[in-house]
Amino acid sequence: MGMKSDIQLIKDGKRLDGRKPNELRDITIKAGVLDNADGSCYLEWGGNKVLAGVYGPKQCLPRHLSNPYKAVLNYRYNMAPFSVDDRKRPGPDRRSVEISKISAEALERVVLLEKFPETMVDVYVEILQAEAGTRCAALTAASVALADAGLPMKDMVTAVAAGKIDGTVVLDLNKAEDNFGQADVPMAVLQHSGEIVLLQMDGDLTQKEFHQAATMAIEASKKVYELQKAALKDKYKERGSK
Ligand code: UDP
């Protein structure tokens, strides 16, 4: 973000990948793709490919981390070494620890953890291929995986980013736009209450631009939510026909 460059990211009102400013990349979501997880989801979002697996609720280990009032939700965002252009050094780093923390906090707002005291729910998201916007793709997939696991939830978490490139507010930045753009604002929205459960900002926006970006992301989250719902419905249709 904010890297100075002469790359022109918008030409004749279109972005380099042909999208209009308020257009999402193509998204496909499939629920229930892993036999050994309690819930799972595979999601492609532009060039991002992510796999989410949920285990639990199960006994909380180590015991001293358990909570007598609710389940502990653990979230691990992990980038595969082959997910990016330059090999990503395996294992956690500052960035993935941060993403995991804020994503867990977003999901804690919707999963009815108080129904499962002393237990834990593990949410693992593997980034198989990254092309910017992976934290949003990961959280969107994790939310489907949690619903697929049958965990009671009061709402769905849907994450979409907006930002600014060449002075224009745009939706869902791709890699070049993330690298050479002026701002990136990942957001996660609860569809029914309208609450924002994750909000970050990299770069600078005026108040007006921020409002525009947030409005764009919230609007787009409705479309992504429909895809999340459709993925869950498809899974149960398939199961019913077996
Ligand atoms: N990226 C990378 N190596 C890293 C971290 C990120 O190549 O160690 C790339 C990857 O394509 C990622 C993008 O940079 O999607 C943007 O990263 P950012 O930290 O903004 O998070 P994201 O937009 O993926 O949520």
Side-chain angles (χ1 to χ4, degrees):
M1 185 60 47
M3 214 188 282
K4 285 267 172 283
S5 90
D6 297 326
I7 295 183
Q8 191 185 343
L9 295 166
I10 299 191
K11 283 183 190 145
D12 307 323
K14 287 260 176 80
R15 296 151 75 173
L16 295 184
D17 58 12
R19 282 185 293 157
K20 288 181 283 238
N22 68 346
E23 211 175 318
L24 281 167
R25 289 174 283 181
D26 287 338
I27 300 171
T28 52
I29 309 180
K30 191 162 167 50
V33 293
L34 300 173
D35 291 344
N36 299 327
D38 292 315
S40 57
C41 173
Y42 175 67
L43 179 149
E44 292 188 358
W45 184 318
N48 295 312
K49 297 183 179 179
V50 316
L51 190 54
V54 167
Y55 297 84
K58 57 185 182 178
Q59 187 188 12
C60 187
L61 291 171
R63 287 294 294 272
H64 72 271
L65 292 180
S66 74
N67 184 320
Y69 301 106
K70 59 175 191 166
V72 173
L73 190 147
N74 301 312
Y75 188 103
R76 191 187 73 183
Y77 166 102
N78 183 56
M79 268 187 152
F82 50 78
S83 66
V84 289
D85 293 342
D86 303 310
R87 173 179 175 276
K88 153 81 173 68
R89 189 166 177 271
D93 52 21
R94 279 178 59 143
R95 176 178 170 276
S96 65
V97 170
E98 170 210 312
I99 293 174
S100 299
K101 178 178 185 292
I102 57 168
S103 302
E105 286 167 2
L107 292 172
E108 279 166 4
R109 301 286 290 275
V110 300
V111 181
L112 302 182
L113 296 170
E114 61 279 9
K115 291 205 182 287
F116 308 98
E118 311 275 7
T119 70
M120 67 180 184
V121 176
D122 289 338
V123 182
Y124 297 101
V125 190
E126 300 294 324
I127 309 299
L128 307 175
Q129 191 171 291
E131 204 232 321
T134 58
R135 74 195 65 202
C136 290
L139 193 47
T140 299
S143 200
V144 171
L146 281 161
D148 180 46
L151 277 151
M153 293 159 79
K154 67 168 188 178
D155 212 331
M156 197 71 155
V157 175
T158 310
V160 183
K164 183 165 94 165
I165 58 169
D166 287 2
T168 303
V169 173
V170 298
L171 185 68
D172 187 23
L173 276 63
N174 66 24
K175 188 74 167 65
E177 295 171 337
D178 184 293
N179 284 355
F180 304 114
Q182 295 143 323
D184 187 19
V185 184
M187 281 179 61
V189 187
L190 304 193
Q191 289 306 307
H192 295 92
S193 67
E195 275 174 90
I196 307 296
V197 292
L198 181 151
L199 175 63
Q200 296 184 287
M201 183 155 91
D202 187 10
D204 291 308
L205 292 176
T206 64
Q207 221 171 342
K208 191 173 161 226
E209 286 167 343
F210 174 78
H211 186 76
Q212 244 182 303
T215 306
M216 226 182 227
I218 290 166
E219 210 41 53
S221 77
K222 294 174 187 164
K223 292 183 195 155
V224 179
Y225 171 62
E226 290 305 320
L227 298 172
Q228 289 176 299
K229 236 178 12 183
L232 288 160
K233 276 192 186 157
D234 278 353
K235 150 125 191 239
Y236 287 97
K237 236 187 274 168
E238 267 173 41
R239 187 186 269 178
S241 65
K242 265 184 197 158

